[in-house]
Amino acid sequence: MSETVLRVTDLVKHFPVRRGPMRRTVGVLKAVDGVSLDLRAGETLGIVGESGCGKSTLARMLTAHERPTSGTVEVLGRPLHQLRGGELRRARRHVQLIFQDPSGSLDPRMTVSASVREPYDVNPDLAPRGDVDRRVRELLEVVGLNPDHGGRYPHQLSGGQRQRVGIARALALRPEVLVCDEPVSALDVSVQAQIVNLLERLRDEFGLAYVFIAHDLGVVRHLADRVAVMYLGRIVETGSQDRVYEHAAHPYTRALHAAAPAPDPALRGTGGDLLEGEPPSPIDPPRGCAFHPRCPIAVDRCAGQVPKPVELSPGHLAFCHLAADRAGV
Amino acid sequence: MSPVLAVSDLHVRFGAAHVVNGAGFSVAAGETLALLGESGSGKSVTARAVMGLVRPPRGQVTAGTVLLHGRDLLTLPEEELRKLRGTTISMVFQDALSALNPVLSVGYQIAELFRVHRGMTRKEARRAATDVLGQVRIPDAKRRADDYPHQFSGGMRQRVGIALAIALRPEVIIADEPTTALDVTVQAQILRLLGEIQREHGTALVLITHDMGVVADVADRVAVMYAGRVVEQATAAEVYAAPRHPYTEALLGAIPRPQLRGRRLSVIPGSPPDLSAPDPGCRFRPRCRYAGDGCTRAPVEHDLGDGRHTACHEWERVGSA
């Protein structure tokens, strides 16, 4: 068993909802509401879910861009959110965030080289000054950019190239973990394939562990060793990739599979029943199991009690009252 | 079956950029044609040109015909065209919010169609609008008709967009990436709704998308676009089973599939061509694994029978490498 690089325990993020001229707090948006997970070195954990399920807020807490309301994130055994100042900065290096839209994270007035060099300027102990130029060139090469891309500005690059710059910047800090928040969602299919291949190659070369967040089930399946499915701030099912895809136990996971169009006309209409309605607001989410108002198999107790995890096979958990009964089927 | 809508040799320019270069496709009543392409392939501009929404000074349709029941829309005066838009041919946009007026209730906006095109009174139009909102399965349609566009969720807003498009029972609906901004479970609902409406009324549907999964799920036929041209046309089953254009083949290789886990996805080398300096030969040539000397000439459209077309000199070799 390899070492655990990232351990998340009961992570919660609540945002106050303010209204009116006095900005009074009128409610609580439960973006992330008790998430626990762990990630071992070199492993890829896929996180899937629809908009509003809290996957991006989770990503921001894992990378210390956001402070949790409660719960802990441990990076290499150190609790990230109790650290301050220089210690926090050093711990942050281990976990880096890749954004969906790299143009939002790149300074439009900085050349590609300057963007990739910035982490070295901020962290002078990372490399001796004389070494930085060489490192920047190496990083550009690692992510598949030419040396002459280094002199360009973000607007002169394609979406795929910008994403490569974002990855190069993250790699400069020699992280153990990359948290990728929808890294390929905005890209065309052919460009998406290039970035997916790049992420796989980097994993093999540098032994990186990934938290790979996406709404595209196909891409997650391609990359992930383990998958966690989120709904309204909570994980509803988690397990190895083949368990979650081939033996989904939670009705929401099944509904996601049914709704995802397979790239094969021969499979048309084989998906199963579709869900009605849309995910409810994370402000005042439903009581009990948050999925029960949309659930095709809900029973009375689903509205009253928060479901406890049911272990269907080692490491395969479903947070559903009925999962144990259905597992035998 | 004779096509309701037949587009041929369409050329559109935006300034120096030749955005559409001889695009052509046709769609019959009750049929779903997917116009599949990546960004910059010209699929949306083709749709806008068909609707008569590409106008000088920004853009210009420089050649081609758009036959709706044999009448060429490109030569019709604007007055005539306005009568056809909505009644005979209509459009669903990716973001319904941009197609709706934010300061008018959705019920009013749909009712306006009935008043202008059908000459209904306010009261009749209002009732008709509520009916249409019900048809697109908006719960509590009567009350929701008084709501403004921003009060609807993403999925419901897209239903309103569809309601606007189907209100006057057009024969052709062009849907431009109607589900791209939606979550998968909501996307599935909208696609099912479009399918049901189409079957009920025998509408011809042109679905513009970049999503190979959506195409596989709902399209009868597929027209694949690259650099402003339709490079392959065939039934959905044929395209996925045995593509006859190198670009289609490459696209299919780039989608992750369960059996490809642990392997690298195939990528298309290079990048899309510069549309302001069009290549006289095959536009895909610099990225094509089958390219030969003959490809410096523009490929003609080969008719492979049964409505199957490919614009590739080397189509017989596709699938062999």
Side-chain angles (χ1 to χ4, degrees):
Chain A
M1 193 84 134
S2 49
E3 92 186 286
T4 299
V5 286
L6 191 66
R7 170 167 288 142
V8 173
T9 318
D10 280 328
L11 203 60
V12 172
K13 181 72 191 180
H14 289 179
F15 294 101
V17 180
R18 298 179 201 278
R19 292 243 170 80
M22 304 304 283
R23 315 288 296 143
R24 274 192 313 139
T25 303
V26 295
V28 178
L29 188 151
K30 297 180 177 176
V32 173
D33 201 20
V35 165
S36 301
L37 49 88
D38 55 2
L39 183 71
R40 287 181 286 275
E43 186 185 40
T44 301
L45 173 70
I47 296 185
V48 296
E50 298 180 279
S51 36
C53 75
K55 52 195 196 300
S56 293
T57 305
L58 177 63
R60 296 178 62 81
M61 286 194 285
L62 297 183
T63 50
H65 285 80
E66 195 90 67
R67 273 182 190 280
T69 307
S70 66
T72 56
V73 176
E74 284 172 59
V75 176
L76 300 173
R78 312 190 65 189
L80 193 57
H81 297 281
Q82 285 165 24
L83 303 177
R84 293 286 184 279
E87 273 193 312
L88 174 63
R89 207 164 61 228
R90 273 189 294 280
R92 251 180 181 167
R93 284 183 202 166
H94 299 299
V95 188
Q96 285 295 307
L97 181 59
I98 307 278
F99 298 89
Q100 170 173 355
D101 179 10
S103 48
S105 59
L106 296 176
D107 187 329
R109 294 171 303 178
M110 277 163 85
T111 62
V112 167
S113 288
S115 278
V116 178
R117 173 190 289 272
E118 203 178 22
Y120 293 103
D121 298 339
V122 176
N123 301 280
D125 58 316
L126 214 54
R129 196 170 278 268
D131 246 11
V132 172
D133 280 337
R134 186 178 53 80
R135 295 254 180 122
V136 169
R137 275 198 306 277
E138 277 174 10
L139 279 172
L140 290 180
E141 195 187 313
V142 160
V143 298
L145 291 170
N146 302 330
D148 58 291
H149 283 126
R152 295 198 198 167
Y153 289 89
H155 75 269
Q156 294 170 311
L157 301 176
S158 68
Q161 288 167 340
R162 278 199 290 266
Q163 195 55 282
R164 289 174 195 270
V165 178
I167 294 171
R169 254 170 81 89
L171 290 179
L173 297 163
R174 301 182 168 276
E176 321 278 328
V177 182
L178 283 188
V179 178
C180 308
D181 187 6
E182 303 267 9
V184 296
S185 306
L187 304 175
D188 274 322
V189 193
S190 59
V191 184
Q192 170 184 304
Q194 294 171 8
I195 299 295
V196 167
N197 286 351
L198 172 65
L199 290 173
E200 280 194 296
R201 183 165 59 78
L202 296 176
R203 177 171 63 188
D204 300 345
E205 267 177 43
F206 299 102
L208 290 171
Y210 290 122
V211 176
F212 189 90
I213 298 173
H215 66 275
D216 184 327
L217 294 166
V219 174
V220 170
R221 181 169 205 183
H222 189 81
L223 280 170
D225 303 309
R226 285 190 301 132
V227 179
V229 182
M230 283 185 77
Y231 188 77
L232 282 183
R234 295 203 178 130
I235 290 177
V236 296
E237 180 161 5
T238 176
S240 64
Q241 166 272 134
D242 61 315
R243 293 297 302 180
V244 173
Y245 277 80
E246 298 294 339
H247 305 281
H250 196 284
Y252 179 63
T253 312
R254 293 174 180 224
L256 273 185
H257 289 318
D264 183 355
L267 298 176
R268 193 178 288 185
T270 57
D273 291 338
L274 295 182
L275 280 187
E276 296 294 332
E278 292 174 46
S281 160
I283 305 171
D284 299 322
R287 290 177 182 282
C289 169
F291 185 59
H292 83 265
R294 298 176 81 196
C295 183
I297 57 166
V299 295
D300 288 347
R301 91 185 122 133
C302 300
Q305 294 167 17
V306 175
K308 291 193 168 49
V310 177
E311 185 155 28
L312 299 149
S313 63
H316 182 195
L317 303 177
F319 293 72
C320 174
H321 291 301
L322 302 165
D325 316 347
R326 282 162 61 93
V329 180
Chain B
M1 201 157 33
S2 72
V4 184
L5 179 73
V7 177
S8 60
D9 198 33
L10 190 70
H11 289 256
V12 182
R13 292 182 60 167
F14 281 86
H18 297 246
V19 182
V20 178
N21 300 282
F25 61 86
S26 63
V27 58
E31 185 182 55
T32 300
L33 173 81
L35 209 51
L36 173 70
E38 296 187 280
S39 29
S41 62
K43 56 193 193 300
S44 288
V45 172
T46 300
R48 300 181 85 88
V50 169
M51 291 297 291
L53 299 176
V54 173
R55 280 178 229 142
R58 283 203 61 219
Q60 199 178 3
V61 178
T62 49
T65 54
V66 175
L67 299 179
L68 181 66
H69 281 303
R71 282 211 306 177
D72 190 353
L73 298 186
L74 295 178
T75 59
L76 282 185
E78 178 61 28
E79 192 73 1
E80 293 279 309
L81 210 54
R82 199 175 301 144
K83 278 186 203 150
L84 288 178
R85 263 189 234 128
T87 60
T88 317
I89 184 165
S90 69
M91 191 153 175
V92 179
F93 295 90
Q94 176 176 344
D95 176 15
L97 206 54
S98 62
L100 289 162
N101 187 330
V103 299
L104 298 174
S105 73
V106 302
Y108 180 89
Q109 294 185 57
I110 298 171
E112 199 175 24
L113 285 172
F114 290 106
R115 291 198 284 123
V116 172
H117 289 283
R118 293 279 186 268
M120 288 185 188
T121 64
R122 271 173 192 274
K123 212 171 166 187
E124 288 168 346
R126 159 101 203 168
R127 195 174 307 124
T130 309
D131 281 352
V132 176
L133 287 173
Q135 278 167 31
V136 294
R137 324 274 189 277
I138 290 181
D140 201 3
K142 197 163 178 195
R143 191 179 55 77
R144 300 289 328 241
D146 291 327
D147 283 349
Y148 293 86
H150 74 270
Q151 293 172 293
F152 289 81
S153 67
M156 283 299 149
R157 210 180 275 159
Q158 204 50 277
R159 284 171 197 264
V160 173
I162 294 171
L164 271 175
I166 65 162
L168 300 173
R169 294 279 141 81
E171 292 171 58
V172 183
I173 296 177
I174 300 179
D176 188 1
E177 304 265 12
T179 60
T180 303
L182 305 175
D183 278 320
V184 270
T185 57
V186 183
Q187 163 171 288
Q189 295 166 11
I190 296 293
L191 289 174
R192 185 173 54 178
L193 174 69
L194 272 173
E196 281 168 8
I197 287 166
Q198 182 197 27
R199 271 191 297 282
E200 218 170 291
H201 306 313
T203 320
L205 178 65
V206 180
L207 182 71
I208 297 170
T209 181
H210 68 278
D211 189 323
M212 316 275 283
V214 168
V215 172
D217 212 25
V218 301
D220 298 315
R221 282 195 309 123
V222 187
V224 183
M225 284 194 76
Y226 184 78
R229 192 170 172 188
V230 172
V231 293
E232 177 164 9
Q233 248 194 101
T235 65
E238 286 170 337
V239 162
Y240 284 78
R244 283 284 174 257
H245 193 282
Y247 175 64
T248 320
E249 186 190 34
L251 265 188
L252 285 167
I255 12 176
R257 295 162 195 268
Q259 65 271 25
L260 294 178
R261 237 185 88 80
R263 274 190 264 162
R264 296 283 186 263
L265 300 171
S266 61
V267 298
I268 308 178
S271 48
D274 178 5
L275 295 170
S276 55
D279 189 318
C282 171
R283 298 277 169 94
F284 190 60
R285 176 173 48 121
R287 310 175 75 183
C288 182
R289 66 210 293 196
Y290 303 100
D293 295 340
C295 300
T296 49
R297 288 176 292 114
V300 294
E301 196 159 272
H302 296 276
D303 189 342
L304 312 183
D306 293 331
R308 190 152 198 202
H309 298 271
T310 176
C312 175
H313 293 294
E314 303 288 338
W315 66 269
E316 282 161 307
R317 287 173 53 217
V318 175
S320 63

